[in-house]
């Protein structure tokens, strides 16, 4: 159970985009014996931001025990396990999330990334295609699909999906990375260098927090 005071403080922090404060409030509440899936999820987010992916996964799973029908929590746990390198465990959690919500974009995308990292490239490509179907206006799925097609040597398909990503999100990090990969794989080192320079100069990279 979460106290009204804690709830109000966390809501105020989130409205102010003070995510770090919301995390600290959640951690303090858990330390004093309060219990709610929101508290565990915020604490898990904080752990993952600090690089403690195993700790984050544990907290997400405690949240899932309190809200077993919430696919977003399972997807969060899956993402933490993916980042921790526990790829097959991550896929199992993404599968559970998808079973609860077949349109869960986070679960499909996370599952695709875990499968790709585990070198299950055909399955990963199928999942990335599903991401593009669920979010056809987002560049992320198309750039990820193009990137994996570079790995499999299907450069024509990679170029086609890369162009879609470029039209949808010309300044997104994933789009720029994929364009560089396509150019390099095509033997155009000059274009690859140009795309890499554009990536390094992009606001997303320059604003990235090194911590």
């Amino acid at each position: 159970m979460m106290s009204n005071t804690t709830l109000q403080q966390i809501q105020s922090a989130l409205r102010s985009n003070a995510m770090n404060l919301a995390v600290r409030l959640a951690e303090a509440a858990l330390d004093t014996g309060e219990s709610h899936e929101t508290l565990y999820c915020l604490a898990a987010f904080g752990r993952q931001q600090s690089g403690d992916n195993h700790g984050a996964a544990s907290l997400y799973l405690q949240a899932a025990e309190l809200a077993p029908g919430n696919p977003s929590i399972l997807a969060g746990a899956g993402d933490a396990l993916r980042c921790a390198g526990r790829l097959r465990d991550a896929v199992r959690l993404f599968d559970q999330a998808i079973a609860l919500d077949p349109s869960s974009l986070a679960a499909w995308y996370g599952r695709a990334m875990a499968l790709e990292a585990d070198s299950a490239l055909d399955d990963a490509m199928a999942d990335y295609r599903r991401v593009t179907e669920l979010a056809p206006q987002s560049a992320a799925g198309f750039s990820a699909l193009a990137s994996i097609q570079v790995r499999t040597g299907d450069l024509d398909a990679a170029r086609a999906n890369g162009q879609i990503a470029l039209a949808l999100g010309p300044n997104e990090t994933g789009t720029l990375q994929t364009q560089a990969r396509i150019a390099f794989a095509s033997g155009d080192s000059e274009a690859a260098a140009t795309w890499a320079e554009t990536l390094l100069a992009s606001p997303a990279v320059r604003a990235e927090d090194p911590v």
Side-chain angles (χ1 to χ4, degrees):
M1 184 175 180
M2 176 165 44
S3 71
N4 287 332
T5 299
T6 297
L7 175 61
Q8 291 170 6
Q9 290 175 335
I10 287 176
Q11 287 177 333
S12 177
L14 293 175
R15 282 194 297 268
S16 301
N17 293 320
M19 193 65 183
N20 289 338
L21 174 58
V23 168
R24 291 196 298 271
L25 289 168
E27 291 172 339
L30 290 171
D31 286 342
T32 59
E34 295 186 44
S35 179
H36 191 277
E37 60 267 25
T38 299
L39 300 176
Y40 284 107
C41 286
L42 284 169
F45 176 83
R47 289 287 185 91
Q48 197 164 11
Q49 290 297 105
S50 69
D52 182 8
N53 292 299
H54 285 102
S58 177
L59 288 164
Y60 275 126
L61 290 173
Q62 290 180 75
E65 290 179 3
L66 297 173
N70 190 321
S72 296
I73 293 175
L74 290 171
D79 187 63
L81 288 177
R82 178 187 65 81
C83 292
R86 293 173 55 186
L87 302 175
R88 295 184 182 181
D89 289 336
V91 169
R92 281 193 285 272
L93 287 175
F94 289 130
D95 284 342
Q96 292 176 36
I98 290 167
L100 289 168
D101 179 8
S103 65
S104 172
L105 186 61
W108 281 108
Y109 195 80
R111 187 177 189 273
M113 288 192 290
L115 289 167
E116 182 179 5
D118 202 29
S119 298
L121 300 186
D122 288 342
D123 290 338
M125 277 195 290
D127 283 5
Y128 283 132
R129 288 193 183 95
R130 182 61 179 143
V131 170
T132 65
E133 293 167 358
L134 290 170
Q137 300 305 314
S138 172
F142 290 100
S143 59
L145 182 56
S147 183
I148 200 172
Q149 286 166 334
V150 169
R151 291 183 63 185
T152 62
D154 191 352
L155 292 181
D156 287 340
R159 292 187 191 99
N161 284 305
Q163 286 302 306
I164 296 172
L166 194 59
L168 293 171
N171 299 314
E172 293 184 16
T173 299
T175 297
L176 298 173
Q177 287 174 332
T178 297
Q179 293 301 317
R181 291 188 183 112
I182 292 171
F184 185 80
S186 301
D188 191 342
S189 57
E190 184 176 344
T194 299
W195 284 114
E197 290 171 2
T198 303
L199 172 63
L200 291 173
S202 68
V205 172
R206 285 188 281 108
E208 187 173 316
D209 186 350
V211 177

